[in-house]
Amino acid sequence: MSQLRLRSLLAVVVVLAVAGCGDSPLDALGDRSSDWINEPEVTTTAAVVVTLPASIDVAELQWSNDDIVTENLSEQSLLLSEVFGRREGDRFIQASRTEIAVALPGVQFPATAPNGAEWVSSQLVIENSGELSDEPSAAFGIWSAVPYSRSRSVAQMAVLTVSTDQETALEIADSTEDLSCARFADATTVGCEILELDDRPVWSLSSNQGLTLVWFDPAYRYELFGRAFVSVDALRDMVASSVALADLVPSPS
């Protein structure tokens, strides 16, 4: 028998032997490779959106004038005389929050500040006569950096002024009619609406530079200006959260 015929015969024998092992002996071909060649796992990571709060607790801020040492805190006239004695230029004189709380009894200050704020500057406004000014009486700056270390347009997020305006406050309290925005608008005002925050009317005046909120308590008028990059919600939170400044004065160590 030739070698070629022998090889052909052996091939037929092998096929028949395999066929005898079951109904579908070739069905499992390739199973071994599929067992160890795993499909790649695709991991999908969803982006987590972090929403920062519009406001923070004012207790987190540093007051740039808290280190001022005051000798006369028991009497308003003596205090104003002491503050006036350190005047260096215009009517706005650097003063601590303790001094302002004494100079303006019952004055309020927001318990919250815009997210990103870190510092508060504070000033009393005293006329050349040595008397406390009515318009405004005090001013506060809310800063994202050490006050005056950077441009106001960049680092000064908001400004709060307090004016002694009891006459208008009483007029508003006794009024039964809606008060016009024209009372507070100026040449830069492009829009105005009257809101109710913390159960009191608040005038909201918008301009290209930012937003100004105006409100009253029985003795004072408050005007809060926030730059265009400051959240409107944060400014409204400041109005609604206002408390007595005396309550924010740190206890003596």
Side-chain angles (χ1 to χ4, degrees):
M1 184 181 295
S2 66
Q3 290 187 353
L4 178 58
R5 291 186 63 189
L6 179 60
R7 289 176 182 173
S8 299
L9 181 60
L10 288 175
V12 172
V13 172
V14 170
V15 170
L16 291 175
V18 171
C21 294
D23 293 338
S24 302
L26 301 181
D27 285 352
L29 288 178
D31 280 357
R32 183 182 299 275
S33 60
S34 65
D35 286 343
W36 66 267
I37 302 178
N38 296 321
E39 294 293 331
E41 294 184 5
V42 179
T43 303
T44 303
T45 303
V48 178
V49 178
V50 178
T51 302
L52 297 176
S55 306
I56 60 174
D57 193 322
V58 76
E60 299 180 28
L61 306 187
Q62 302 180 69
W63 291 66
S64 61
N65 290 322
D66 265 5
D67 59 350
I68 294 177
V69 177
T70 313
E71 298 294 334
N72 299 289
L73 288 173
S74 59
E75 187 175 335
Q76 184 192 50
S77 60
L78 293 177
L79 169 66
L80 293 176
S81 178
E82 182 176 344
V83 174
F84 185 70
R86 60 175 182 260
R87 176 179 177 178
E88 296 180 350
D90 60 19
R91 301 181 305 152
F92 291 76
I93 305 173
Q94 302 299 324
S96 68
R97 55 179 148 171
T98 303
E99 292 175 321
I100 296 176
V102 173
L104 298 173
V107 70
Q108 295 191 335
F109 190 85
T112 63
N115 195 3
E118 295 186 3
W119 287 85
V120 183
S121 60
S122 49
Q123 301 163 319
L124 280 170
V125 187
I126 302 179
E127 303 289 356
N128 292 333
S129 63
E131 296 181 350
L132 185 66
S133 173
D134 287 338
E135 187 87 16
S137 303
F140 304 88
I142 310 297
W143 301 75
S144 62
V146 176
Y148 316 110
S149 66
R150 301 183 67 189
S151 167
R152 281 183 171 86
S153 62
V154 173
Q156 191 181 64
M157 304 177 70
V159 176
L160 173 65
T161 58
V162 182
S163 299
T164 304
D165 193 1
Q166 188 174 18
E167 181 179 347
T168 306
L170 291 173
E171 177 186 345
I172 290 175
D174 294 338
S175 176
T176 57
E177 300 179 359
D178 290 338
L179 297 174
S180 170
C181 285
R183 177 188 293 266
F184 308 108
D186 60 23
T188 66
T189 303
V190 297
C192 177
E193 61 178 325
I194 301 177
L195 312 172
E196 185 169 312
L197 299 174
D198 195 29
D199 296 326
R200 57 187 166 198
V202 176
W203 288 260
S204 176
L205 300 95
S206 58
S207 69
N208 293 330
Q209 290 72 41
L211 184 71
T212 299
L213 300 176
V214 182
W215 72 99
F216 290 80
D217 69 15
Y220 306 109
R221 183 180 78 250
Y222 301 83
E223 297 187 31
L224 174 64
F225 168 72
R227 299 195 185 276
F229 59 82
V230 177
S231 162
V232 173
D233 288 341
L235 296 175
R236 293 181 179 181
D237 286 348
M238 292 177 71
V239 178
S241 70
S242 294
V243 297
L245 178 61
D247 292 342
L248 300 176
V249 172
S251 302
S253 55

